[in-house]
Amino acid sequence: MKPWLLSLALVTTAAQAGVPWAWLNSKLTRLDYEHQWLHAELNQLPPMPVPQPHEHAGFHSGITAQPDAVRWIQIDLGVERALDAVVVIPAMLGAAEVHGFPRRFRIDASNDPLFAESTTLLDQTVGDVAMPLAPWFVPALNVKARHVRFTATKLVPKPRLANQFIFCLGELLVFSGGRNVALHAPVLAPKSVETLPTWSPRHVVDGCHALGLPLRADAVNGNGWHSAIFTRADSTSWLRVDLGSVRDIDEIRLIPAHPRDYPDRFGFGFPQRFKIEADGKIIFDSTTADFTNPGDTPVAFSTPGLRARSIQITATRLWERSGDFVFALAELQAFANGQNIAREATVTSSDSTITAAWNHANLLEGRASAGVLLDEARWLADLSKRREFEGRLAFLDIETNLAVRKAQERAVYLALALTAIGIGATLAFLLHLRRSRRLEMEALRQRISRDLHDEIGSHLGSIRLMSELALREDGASESLEEIHRLAGEAADSMRGIIWLVREGDAPKLTSLVEAMRQSAAALLKGIDWHLNTPSGDDPTTASLEFHRQVFLFFREAAHNITRHAQATRVMIEITWQAKRFTLRIEDNGCGFDADAVTAGNGLANLRHRAEVLDGTLHITSVPGKGTRITLEATLP
């Protein structure tokens, strides 16, 4: 396999095995920590509610052919207020689709209706924003202002009309002192569209939006209060809440019912026509025109400066259930200084349907039909935070993918570098082996040269000397006989050395045995000798140097027997097993005293070769009883 293909295969295998990449890109550790932290934070936040479609969708700007045309909508709070926060909720049409939210915008606050001087609360005019159906909660940090303006600086295409651009808002809330002070406030929106009942500048402050009720779902069986069941829509039914004493009331809020046994009936029982009175004073009157069903959104009425003890809601046109007519509410709330003072009130009514889920107590328990009601500002802030965290998670996934890709690139570079290092190391190793082999062969040549000099040169020198003596003597028979013997030994030594060179780098041990057999036949003439070896064609091999040392060891021992032992019988045994090689030579000669021998007997040469073989030499000899020589060595 080519090196770069191997590197790519390593990276791919690591990726498939789920190998963590942080060791190749430390940024991944930070991203993973942030990812876990965001998920932990999201688990503490309320879930995004199911979108609620409404007839009052919100505000719709005029149409323009330029996406960068500036369009704005402005709210007059009536008086200067210390602002807590401004909340923007997108408009929704159809199946939970955000409609017309601008790509770029800013939010400003001012006491000047012309905004000659203003404080910018949020500036999103630099980069485009992606808008899910979630609020933008913008802390105002107690900025004091009477007017709040939302300015769109980059519009979006009108659906199915690519060359026409708009912007829309579902609701604009301004919190001060814990309540929405923008509720039903005057709205200024030049170049806007009014197509009732869907679009109107007034709808942006009517308290009706697609996020529904601020609640935490539970399994409690409590729907609220339910009137008697009537056969006529124009029947009258009322309920009254007594606060126990005259109290300041800043806001009255009606929470529509949505019982679990009517999952598709949003705004269950909310009257088509009704009026609200406080101690007999009319606060709101919609008895001459139908009121749009609010679905699952609270219906709030701002009542600054109101002081009253009782609140009464009188329905004059009831909600049609299924061939009959009813009036129902999940909760009635009255706020003073941000607190719901109706929780401890007393409820009376003109008529009622009393069950476990419908009764007077359920009207003031702080619940909607589906769960516990939450503080609206806090709930919207948490939903806004969820939007930010989920947006950050989406961006984090992109960052993580890029970081992993960077780590994979580094892994490829690292694999290529390791491959290059491996190739370099392999080449260096091969060169080292080649050089070592060359040096080894040179050393072998030197050893063969010494062998030729020591073995053949010695014999030839003796032959030359004996021939000179023969020429001087009258009786030359003994000299010629010695010349004949030395010539034979020289030829035998030459054959042994040629065998060593011919056998290659790692001959089989069976070849060594055969060479020793031939050498024994030449060196032990006239002596009864036997050679015992393992049978069969054993494939065990050893280095050429091992063969050389063992072969010369054997020749040295055979020479000693021939010259000094006066033996008539020699037993030679060669064995090897589990990397252990043993050569044993035993004769029945005259023996010797091992402590009295000199170097001239050749024992020093035997010991030297045993040391070279990193083996052990054992010599046992008794005068008159023969000699046993044992060589044990490790097979290389």
Side-chain angles (χ1 to χ4, degrees), residues 450-451 454-455 458 545 548-560 563-564 583 597-619 629-631:
R450 287 195 300 270
D451 291 343
D454 295 342
E455 296 286 340
S458 175
E545 178 63 14
R548 173 178 173 274
Q549 293 296 340
V550 172
F551 181 73
L552 294 178
F553 179 95
F554 173 77
R555 283 184 56 82
E556 184 70 34
H559 270 296
N560 290 340
R563 292 180 181 179
H564 308 292
L583 169 61
V597 296
T598 63
N601 290 0
L603 296 183
N605 289 338
L606 294 180
R607 291 190 180 97
H608 171 71
R609 298 200 185 279
E611 290 176 0
V612 172
L613 288 167
D614 195 20
T616 57
L617 175 64
H618 301 283
I619 300 176
I629 299 173
T630 304
L631 171 67

Side-chain angles (χ1 to χ4, degrees), residues 45-353:
L45 297 176
M48 197 63 67
V50 177
Q52 305 293 326
H54 296 281
E55 285 186 343
H56 292 182
F59 160 81
H60 192 302
S61 75
I63 299 173
T64 177
Q66 302 298 325
D68 57 353
V70 176
R71 294 289 185 270
W72 54 267
I73 182 171
Q74 181 174 313
I75 298 173
D76 184 356
L77 304 178
V79 295
E80 180 185 79
R81 295 181 182 276
L83 307 184
D84 300 331
V86 175
V87 181
V88 179
I89 299 177
M92 188 198 79
L93 280 182
E97 294 182 1
V98 173
H99 188 83
F101 197 85
R103 291 288 180 263
R104 300 184 185 185
F105 63 92
R106 72 174 186 269
I107 300 174
D108 302 291
S110 176
N111 280 313
D112 179 7
L114 299 179
F115 279 72
E117 293 183 1
S118 63
T119 301
T120 298
L121 304 180
L122 177 67
D123 190 343
Q124 290 287 339
T125 60
V126 177
D128 290 0
V129 298
M131 191 61 215
L133 187 63
W136 285 76
F137 187 93
V138 183
L141 303 177
N142 287 322
V143 169
K144 293 183 178 181
R146 172 175 172 171
H147 303 276
V148 175
R149 177 182 288 186
F150 182 100
T151 304
T153 59
K154 185 175 182 180
L155 312 185
V156 294
K158 188 176 176 62
R160 296 177 296 278
L161 295 173
N163 296 324
Q164 296 185 11
F165 299 89
I166 60 171
F167 101 87
C168 301
L169 292 182
E171 190 78 5
L172 190 58
L173 302 90
V174 180
F175 285 94
S176 176
R179 68 187 186 92
N180 177 21
V181 295
L183 190 64
H184 305 301
V187 177
L188 178 62
K191 300 181 180 178
S192 63
V193 170
E194 183 154 358
T195 54
L196 296 174
T198 307
W199 302 109
S200 172
R202 298 189 306 276
H203 293 347
V204 83
V205 291
D206 64 356
C208 185
H209 54 75
L211 295 180
L213 293 171
L215 57 82
R216 181 181 67 251
D218 62 17
V220 175
N221 183 25
N223 291 327
W225 172 84
H226 192 299
S227 72
I229 300 173
F230 297 90
T231 58
R232 293 172 53 89
D234 57 359
S235 301
T236 298
S237 178
W238 58 264
L239 67 87
R240 182 183 299 118
V241 173
D242 188 344
L243 302 175
S245 62
V246 176
R247 305 287 299 273
D248 292 324
I249 303 174
D250 300 325
E251 183 178 297
I252 297 171
R253 188 176 300 181
L254 308 181
I255 307 299
H258 189 175
R260 291 183 174 90
D261 50 347
Y262 286 89
D264 298 328
R265 305 297 295 273
F266 299 94
F268 180 93
F270 202 90
Q272 287 185 310
R273 298 186 181 185
F274 65 97
K275 63 181 178 180
I276 301 176
E277 299 171 278
D279 288 349
K281 177 183 178 181
I282 295 179
I283 303 301
F284 176 80
D285 190 351
S286 181
T287 57
T288 58
D290 288 352
F291 188 89
T292 301
N293 189 284
D296 275 356
T297 57
V299 179
F301 303 93
S302 180
T303 58
L306 176 64
R307 287 179 57 81
R309 171 173 177 162
S310 66
I311 301 170
Q312 179 170 311
I313 298 95
T314 303
T316 58
R317 181 178 291 276
L318 308 184
W319 181 78
E320 184 177 359
R321 189 177 64 167
S322 51
D324 51 26
F325 303 90
V326 298
F327 169 29
L329 285 178
E331 185 83 0
L332 187 148
Q333 298 175 321
F335 289 93
N337 297 320
Q339 300 297 318
N340 179 16
I341 60 175
R343 292 294 300 272
E344 304 300 326
T346 302
V347 180
T348 56
S349 61
S350 60
D351 48 83
S352 294
T353 296

